[in-house]
Amino acid sequence: MANNLYIASLEPASGKSVIALGVMELLSRRLDRVGYFRPVVPSTDPVDSRLALMDGRYELAGEPEERYAFTVDEVERLLAQGRTDELFKGVLEAYRALADKAPFVLCDGTDYTGVSTALEFEFNAKLANHLGAPVLAIVNGRSRTAHDVVEATHVARESLTAEGCTLLATVVNRVDPDDLDTIQEAADAVSHDDPIWVVPEVPTLSMPTVREVATGIGAKVLLGDTDAAMDRVASKITIAAMTLPHVLDRLVDGAIVLTPGDRADVLLGVIGSRMATTFPNVAAVVLTGGYQPEDSLVRLLDGFSSIPCPVLSVDDDTYGTATDVNAVPAVLRPRQTRKIATALDTFEAHVDIDVLANRIEVTRSTVVTPLMFEFDIIERARQDRRHIVLPESSDDRILRAAEILQRRGVATLTLLGNPKVVETRAATLGVDLTGIDVIDPATSPLRKVFADRYAELRAHKGATPDLAFEMLLDVSYFGTMMVLLGHADGMVSGAAHTTQHTVRPSLEVVRTKPGVAIVSSVFFMLLPDRVLVYGDCAINPNPDASQLADIAISSAETAAAFGVYPRIAMLSYSTGESGQGTDVKAVREATELVRQRRPDLQVEGPMQYDAAVDVGVGEKKLPGSQVAGNATVFIFPDLNTGNNTYKAVQRSAGAVAVGPVLQGLNKPVNDLSRGCTIPDIVNTVAITAIQAQQEAAAAARTQQEQGAGV
């Protein structure tokens, strides 16, 4: 089963609480405990009504304060200060903390009550993507014709798709019951794979109770304060400014009667009407102007066995009170059993519960946003800390990144260099390296151990212990031997050294995994709205067809290991069968080799970049392709093309390029670009730590299999 769903209204007053309640009821019948999460709530004092409703009805995962991230005021302040990233990170952190405690989390989006309405749709779409949740879209069908509804649902689908969201279904809510069948037929006629359900307006659900009215207008309850009477729905306002006979003619069931507090005749007449079977049952009387009933009238009323409806009092005049009553919203609350039952009956009568449950089961968002990617790799690295060596302590970026990594508990770190020099430079930068070891290869007793082992491994190339002892002064060789001999789980270098300098020692002694013909690399390209994988942009100048196939398969496995669903585009200067030539032929052959070796992978090629990344272009050039327009893994035909493309995208599109991440080695060793930033270093160390976790897990599985005689 998928593990989350995001409910997003496309406009205000869509009745989203009814739909959220219906979905929660469905989930609670199938799961022991469900998480309910609101990214933004109007306030925490009083408690958000939707949170109170769900908490009062269901056994929810987590504590109440874990079920929301921010208040509307906090969101508006962060947006005004340009701290959007901090806002989204805060929501993601709060959501993940709750998700750890529940098999499924229903995310209930914002209600157009504070955040700028013009920005709110985009805000919810981005949140859904960052949380990796498919979207149940709610469209307001009130006062709309069938044509209007079709247009609104089309806009909803197109807008969400344009934002990269995965649409689960659409609910058109609050439709006029007389138009229900017509609108459902029109919706069915344009429905795609994702269904459209039409739910009618139920007047009582949009009407406040007497208690809500009393609270909303700040009224004092003088008489008739019983739970049943206060929880009755108030359907209409009747202003009693005429004589009593005319007032009685205008009474309707559920009316709130407003009258000046000195109109004893109206008060007695309305209460008397409630005791007669020949008149409608009003919901309450509100006395305005701050006037209280005379003592004699109070004694008379006290003599009744019971007061048939609440009598309220306010200081404001009748006109102002009428305005205030009209502004009181209807809110579903835990104790409103009738309204809750009505809401659930309406939802289940017009939404196919079995179809919805099945779609929740199978529909998953494949979107991986940069925020999700970075958050996930940091969290995964922290769960099982690995030991990473950073050889380039002379680079200030490495020292600053090391402090961040240490503070966040991403990995256990060792820096290579002269400890006094490193400490002095760190002090100058204001960097705290507490808890980080610094080893000087020149004086370390490990140098001799590493040199002897290196000489043994490279004897066939003429290496001697004395030569190896000198080579081990090189931090790249020293760090690589630390990884090889288990003194560290992985290495990250390249901020101050060339790729060749970083990778050569690994190719000499770490070598490739069994079954891997070639060491290659990928960059994780963190674009504003997605994460793409580029390979190979750093290692292999001119791979042949077989090597390209190996690179594609390795890149797909790396992508999947870090949460990016692999759809492989084998890139060339032509698409499909449109081009000829040696280079195109090699890409075509490589594509076929991938299909033969890994028939489970989605791969297409040869393909131009625009056809791989743009849905419209992809449909024109390769109609029906699962990869065209939706590629996530891009395999370049040669190093020249790949290296230039990744740098062009990095600089022109403002993408963060994480890598190059090396793939195919027996131990995790990763290169950095010499133009890398501090976040690049942090992310690459986290990736290296995860690779080390995976290596350890694979080794443990192998040991178990051998022990079991498999």
Side-chain angles (χ1 to χ4, degrees):
M1 185 174 186
N3 60 5
N4 61 4
L5 175 65
Y6 195 100
I7 300 181
S9 57
L10 278 295
E11 52 208 318
S14 63
K16 183 158 64 70
S17 59
V18 172
I19 308 306
L21 180 66
V23 176
M24 277 295 293
E25 188 76 8
L26 180 156
L27 293 169
S28 66
R29 293 171 184 171
R30 289 163 169 78
L31 299 169
D32 291 337
R33 180 168 293 202
V34 181
Y36 177 78
F37 180 71
R38 299 211 69 194
V40 183
V41 295
S43 71
T44 54
D45 186 18
V47 175
D48 173 63
S49 60
R50 200 87 50 78
L51 286 173
L53 171 65
M54 300 303 182
D55 195 26
R57 183 171 178 81
Y58 303 106
E59 188 74 20
L60 299 178
E63 300 299 321
E65 62 272 14
E66 295 178 302
R67 298 176 193 142
Y68 69 93
F70 294 104
T71 65
V72 166
D73 289 343
E74 290 169 338
V75 169
E76 291 183 333
R77 184 172 65 252
L78 288 170
L79 291 176
Q81 295 171 352
R83 296 158 62 189
T84 306
D85 285 349
E86 183 177 336
L87 169 60
F88 287 130
K89 286 180 181 178
V91 172
L92 183 55
E93 288 175 359
Y95 164 80
R96 289 293 178 83
L98 180 62
D100 287 342
K101 301 180 179 180
F104 191 100
V105 178
L106 179 65
C107 305
D108 192 349
T110 61
D111 291 328
Y112 293 81
T113 54
V115 181
S116 171
T117 299
L119 300 175
E120 193 153 1
F121 168 75
E122 182 182 358
F123 181 76
N124 278 294
K126 287 185 181 297
L127 280 181
N129 283 336
H130 286 317
L131 302 183
V135 175
L136 177 63
I138 314 300
V139 172
N140 189 349
R142 193 177 191 186
S143 302
R144 278 182 163 150
T145 65
H147 174 77
D148 293 338
V149 166
V150 168
E151 286 296 308
T153 55
H154 175 74
V155 169
R157 179 183 287 111
E158 292 296 313
S159 299
L160 288 167
T161 301
E163 290 290 338
C165 297
T166 300
L167 182 61
L168 179 124
T170 303
V171 176
V172 183
N173 197 24
R174 304 193 69 184
V175 168
D176 188 325
D178 293 337
D179 299 330
L180 187 69
D181 291 340
T182 302
I183 290 177
Q184 184 67 71
E185 289 175 6
D188 289 342
V190 298
S191 179
H192 294 66
D193 292 336
D194 48 286
I196 301 173
W197 291 298
V198 180
V199 178
E201 171 87 280
V202 180
T204 55
L205 296 180
S206 56
M207 297 173 184
T209 63
V210 174
R211 189 184 306 277
E212 288 171 335
V213 170
T215 302
I217 65 177
K220 179 181 179 182
V221 183
L222 302 179
L223 300 164
D225 186 11
T226 65
D227 285 344
M230 293 297 288
D231 289 334
R232 188 179 177 194
V233 170
S235 62
K236 183 182 178 181
I237 298 173
T238 297
I239 297 178
M242 64 290 288
T243 61
L244 180 60
H246 294 300
V247 172
L248 295 176
D249 286 341
R250 286 167 170 77
L251 295 182
V252 296
D253 277 339
I256 295 278
V257 179
L258 306 185
T259 188
D262 55 1
R263 290 290 302 273
D265 58 329
V266 172
L267 174 60
L268 285 173
V270 171
I271 289 178
S273 75
R274 279 296 311 268
M275 297 179 179
T277 59
T278 53
F279 281 90
N281 291 325
V282 300
V285 179
V286 179
L287 304 179
T288 64
Y291 299 113
Q292 302 289 318
E294 297 292 338
D295 291 343
S296 57
L297 182 57
V298 172
R299 287 201 307 276
L300 174 62
L301 296 175
D302 284 342
F304 292 175
S305 58
S306 64
I307 300 299
C309 66
V311 178
L312 315 178
S313 175
V314 294
D315 293 334
D316 202 358
D317 60 27
T318 302
Y319 176 79
T321 301
T323 302
D324 291 341
V325 172
N326 268 322
V328 174
V331 177
L332 285 173
R333 302 182 191 279
R335 64 189 296 164
Q336 297 173 348
T337 53
R338 282 187 183 177
K339 290 182 80 170
I340 289 174
T342 300
L344 292 175
D345 288 346
T346 302
F347 179 85
E348 293 175 1
H350 297 92
V351 173
D352 192 320
I353 298 301
D354 292 334
V355 172
L356 176 58
N358 181 65
R359 289 191 64 79
I360 291 174
E361 176 103 17
V362 301
T363 305
R364 293 171 174 80
S365 172
T366 59
V367 175
V368 178
T369 67
L371 180 63
M372 288 172 60
F373 180 81
E374 292 185 275
F375 185 91
D376 282 342
I377 61 174
I378 295 298
E379 287 303 304
R380 287 175 63 184
R382 291 174 62 184
Q383 288 172 9
D384 179 16
R385 289 180 67 173
R386 299 279 109 181
H387 186 174
I388 306 300
V389 58
L390 303 174
E392 299 167 314
S393 65
S394 59
D395 192 295
D396 292 349
R397 294 167 297 175
I398 294 293
L399 297 181
R400 294 187 186 279
E403 180 184 34
I404 295 170
L405 290 160
Q406 176 68 15
R407 287 183 181 277
R408 298 179 70 180
V410 176
T412 300
L413 300 176
T414 293
L415 294 169
L416 300 185
N418 184 301
K420 290 185 178 179
V421 173
V422 172
E423 291 168 8
T424 300
R425 185 56 187 166
T428 301
L429 296 172
V431 169
D432 182 5
L433 297 181
T434 302
I436 299 175
D437 287 336
V438 182
I439 294 177
D440 187 352
T443 59
S444 171
L446 292 174
R447 180 182 172 192
K448 178 67 167 61
V449 176
F450 292 168
D452 289 345
R453 181 58 176 153
Y454 179 86
E456 180 183 336
L457 291 171
R458 300 292 291 175
H460 66 288
K461 292 293 185 177
T464 64
D466 289 342
L467 177 62
F469 191 74
E470 291 302 314
M471 290 182 68
L472 263 296
L473 284 173
D474 187 308
V475 291
S476 291
Y477 277 93
F478 193 94
T480 300
M481 293 304 296
M482 285 185 67
V483 174
L484 178 69
L485 298 185
H487 293 271
D489 298 309
M491 182 178 85
V492 173
S493 189
H497 294 89
T498 65
T499 294
Q500 184 180 22
H501 193 137
T502 299
V503 175
R504 184 194 294 126
S506 297
L507 296 177
E508 290 177 355
V509 295
V510 174
R511 299 173 185 168
T512 59
K513 295 179 181 178
V516 176
I518 188 172
V519 174
S520 58
S521 71
V522 294
F523 278 94
F524 287 97
M525 302 299 294
L526 311 190
L527 279 73
D529 61 344
R530 70 189 95 174
V531 176
L532 303 178
V533 176
Y534 285 7
D536 173 4
C537 304
I539 303 295
N540 298 287
N542 291 292
D544 59 27
S546 180
Q547 291 172 330
L548 275 176
D550 281 339
I551 293 169
I553 293 170
S554 293
S555 299
E557 291 173 346
T558 300
F562 289 93
V564 178
Y565 184 80
R567 288 184 287 268
I568 310 167
M570 306 294 288
L571 298 176
S572 181
Y573 58 77
S574 70
T575 297
E577 302 296 327
S578 65
Q580 300 298 323
T582 304
D583 293 339
V584 177
K585 181 181 178 182
V587 173
R588 191 172 289 122
E589 290 177 1
T591 304
E592 291 305 316
L593 287 172
V594 173
R595 289 173 177 154
Q596 293 171 18
R597 297 175 188 174
R598 289 290 302 274
D600 57 306
L601 293 175
Q602 293 181 16
V603 61
E604 197 79 64
M607 187 186 303
Q608 291 161 289
Y609 190 93
D610 60 346
V613 78
D614 186 281
V615 174
V617 176
E619 182 61 29
K620 289 178 181 178
K621 294 188 175 184
L622 282 172
S625 170
Q626 292 181 305
V627 175
N630 297 294
T632 56
V633 178
F634 296 74
I635 305 303
F636 294 92
D638 54 60
L639 183 59
N640 181 53
T641 306
N643 193 269
N644 279 295
T645 301
Y646 107 76
K647 288 182 177 176
V649 173
Q650 180 187 34
R651 301 299 177 182
S652 300
V656 176
V658 180
V661 177
L662 302 187
Q663 48 196 19
L665 288 168
N666 271 314
K667 300 279 187 178
V669 173
N670 283 314
D671 187 27
L672 293 165
S673 167
R674 278 172 286 175
C676 65
T677 63
I678 294 170
D680 294 340
I681 299 168
V682 171
N683 289 334
T684 303
V685 169
I687 286 173
T688 307
I690 294 170
Q691 289 178 316
Q693 293 171 357
Q694 294 167 342
E695 293 288 345
R701 285 194 300 270
T702 299
Q703 189 173 11
Q704 287 179 348
E705 291 170 358
Q706 291 173 345
V710 176

